[in-house]
């Protein structure tokens, strides 16, 4: 916890990573380091009777505080860095001639200030400040060589000189170590951030490619679906037109008329079911569906919904039976669940031969209610099982050539999941299929 407080305090002192650039944070760090270096060296200069350097140190601490304020608070880091570079060079020149020239640690300290400068200035400014540093050092050395009296030896003895060099070395090494350590930590943080961003970009790229492939697949299936729909709508309309023309033009026997009427009814029913599923699917793709979950007495609803299917079953010679487990209230959307049940029962009747049986039953299952539609029809082949709940743009035919386009089961799955339910099936070739719908029970 204490370490977290320290890190938080330090990040606020130099600038938060999300708000300040790496160069700005390094400069703010350098200001803090330089301030404390001046603070530590000033008492030593006082003991060495270098009172002018004490005043210079105090002035530098004030100036460094101002530069820190300019960079951290005012966010004018470029101006602060430029002023820091100018101040460092001028301070070096003054201290060089005041503090024993070449006989003192001035060149070492100037190298330290130059290290600070190249660590914080933009790369484009190297071509200016590097020559300035070299020329400035050469200039003061030449001036001292020509006029040595400008840089008198102020050391009272060898011990003072040794201590001064030792202190200068220690300060330089500590500041360089802290600065490089901080730069490396920030570099590592930036590197990890870049790697993380690259990984995120790669993950997004893979996700986009997967979505692209899925969209391309769905578009192909949609095109096939529309092509089949266009064909399958035109064909039954032509059939209806042909039957009506026969009825109108030819005097048929009553048995023949009844046969044609039955075929007309079957064609109309298949076309209506296909169009209803297509419209429901299209609406869901374009606008989505607003789901209204409410308590629904599923047994009562099934009795109302299955009236039409009972008539179809009787006509096809199939026994349609409903078995209920007392009162069963589930949370469902009335219209969505009606479409799901209608499609599943219609499929069961479609793929069950004459004399077969379709059973709709309900039961409790823990905190859910089950609706089970079972038949003893032809079953589902393994190839079709894999894509049963997907957009399967291909025509299917029942035991009496009832036509479908493989869209109903996709709607069943999506509508069931929108009602926070599940749907699955069991099947065996030649023995039939069982579809299960699980929905949450009404909260008591």
């Amino acid at each position: 916890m204490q370490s977290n407080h320290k890190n938080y305090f330090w990040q606020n002192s130099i600038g938060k990573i999300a708000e300040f650039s790496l160069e700005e944070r390094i400069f703010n760090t350098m200001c803090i380091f330089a301030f404390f270096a001046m603070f530590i060296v000033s008492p030593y200069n006082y003991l060495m009777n270098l009172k002018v350097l004490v005043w210079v140190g105090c002035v530098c601490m004030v100036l460094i505080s101002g530069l820190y304020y300019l960079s951290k608070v005012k966010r004018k880091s470029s101006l602060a860095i430029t002023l820091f570079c100018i101040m460092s060079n001028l301070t070096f020149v003054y201290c060089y001639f005041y503090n024993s020239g070449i006989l003192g640690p001035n060149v070492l300290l100037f190298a330290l200030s130059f290290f600070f400068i190249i660590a914080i200035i933009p790369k484009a400014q190297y071509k200016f400040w590097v020559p300035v540093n070299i020329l400035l050092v050469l200039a003061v050395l030449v001036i001292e060589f020509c006029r040595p009296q400008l840089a008198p030896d102020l050391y009272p003895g060898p011990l003072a000189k040794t201590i001064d060099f030792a202190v200068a070395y220690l300060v330089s090494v500590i500041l360089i170590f802290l600065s490089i350590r901080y730069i490396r930590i920030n570099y590592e943080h930036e590197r990890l951030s870049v790697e993380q961003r690259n990984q995120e970009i790669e993950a997004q790229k893979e996700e986009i490619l997967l979505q692209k492939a899925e969209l391309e697949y769905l578009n192909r299936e949609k095109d096939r679906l529309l092509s089949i729909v266009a064909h399958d709508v035109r064909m039954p309309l032509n059939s209806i037109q042909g039957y009506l023309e026969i009825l109108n033009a030819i005097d048929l026997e009553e048995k023949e008329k009844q046969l044609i009427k039955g075929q007309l009814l079957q064609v109309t029913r298949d076309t209506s079911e296909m169009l209803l599923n297509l419209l429901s699917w299209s609406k869901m793709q374009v606008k989505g569906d607003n789901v209204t979950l409410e308590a629904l007495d599923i047994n009562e609803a099934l009795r109302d919904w299955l009236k039409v299917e009972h008539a179809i079953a009787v006509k096809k010679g199939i026994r349609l039976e409903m078995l209920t487990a007392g009162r069963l209230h589930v949370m469902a959307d009335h219209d969505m669940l009606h479409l799901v049940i209608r499609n599943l029962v219609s499929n069961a009747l479609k793929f069950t031969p004459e004399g077969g049986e379709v059973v709709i039953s309900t039961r409790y299952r823990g905190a859910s209610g089950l609706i089970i539609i079972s038949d003893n029809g032809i079953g589902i082949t393994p190839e079709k099982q894999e894509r049963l709940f997907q957009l399967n743009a291909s025509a299917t035919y029942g035991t009496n050539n009832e036509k479908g386009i493989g869209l109903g089961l996709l709607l069943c799955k999506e509508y069931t999941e929108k009602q926070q339910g599940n749907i699955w099936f069991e099947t065996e070739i030649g023995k039939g299929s069982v579809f299960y719908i699980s929905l949450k029970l009404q909260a008591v």
Side-chain angles (χ1 to χ4, degrees), residues 30 33 115 175-185:
M30 296 298 185
F33 289 167
F115 165 75
L175 290 179
I176 290 174
F177 168 75
L178 292 175
S179 301
I180 292 179
R181 180 176 178 274
Y182 179 73
I183 291 172
R184 291 186 64 176
I185 290 173

Side-chain angles (χ1 to χ4, degrees), residues 135-191:
L135 293 175
L136 197 57
V137 173
L138 292 176
V140 296
L141 291 174
V142 169
I143 292 172
E144 183 185 12
F145 178 77
C146 296
R147 302 186 66 180
Q149 69 276 12
L150 294 177
D153 185 2
L154 300 180
Y155 291 110
L159 179 60
K161 184 176 182 178
T162 301
I163 294 174
D164 193 27
F165 270 84
V167 171
Y169 172 77
L170 287 174
V171 170
S172 300
V173 167
I174 291 172
L175 290 179
I176 290 174
F177 168 75
L178 292 175
S179 301
I180 292 179
R181 180 176 178 274
Y182 179 73
I183 291 172
R184 291 186 64 176
I185 290 173
N186 278 272
Y187 168 77
E188 187 67 15
H189 180 273
E190 294 290 331
R191 185 182 66 81

Side-chain angles (χ1 to χ4, degrees), residues 249-285:
I250 302 175
D251 188 14
L252 299 175
E253 296 182 1
E254 188 61 29
K255 186 177 180 180
E256 293 175 328
K257 288 182 179 180
Q258 293 299 324
L259 177 62
I260 290 178
K261 288 179 181 179
Q263 291 173 334
L264 274 172
L265 180 61
Q266 184 63 51
V267 170
T268 303
R269 185 182 292 118
D270 292 343
T271 305
S272 176
E273 180 183 341
M274 178 181 63
L275 288 176
L276 181 59
N277 283 336
L278 178 63
L279 289 173
S280 298
W281 178 78
S282 301
K283 178 186 175 184
M284 185 168 56
Q285 300 303 310

Side-chain angles (χ1 to χ4, degrees), residues 44-62:
Y44 166 75
N45 288 331
Y46 181 79
L47 294 174
M48 295 294 294
N49 201 29
L50 301 174
K51 295 181 180 179
V52 173
L53 290 183
V54 175
W55 283 108
V56 170
C58 292
V59 171
C60 286
M61 283 192 287
V62 173

Side-chain angles (χ1 to χ4, degrees), residues 63-74:
L63 293 175
I64 289 171
S65 300
L67 295 177
Y68 174 81
Y69 176 80
L70 191 63
S71 172
K72 173 66 170 56
V73 180
K74 292 297 185 180

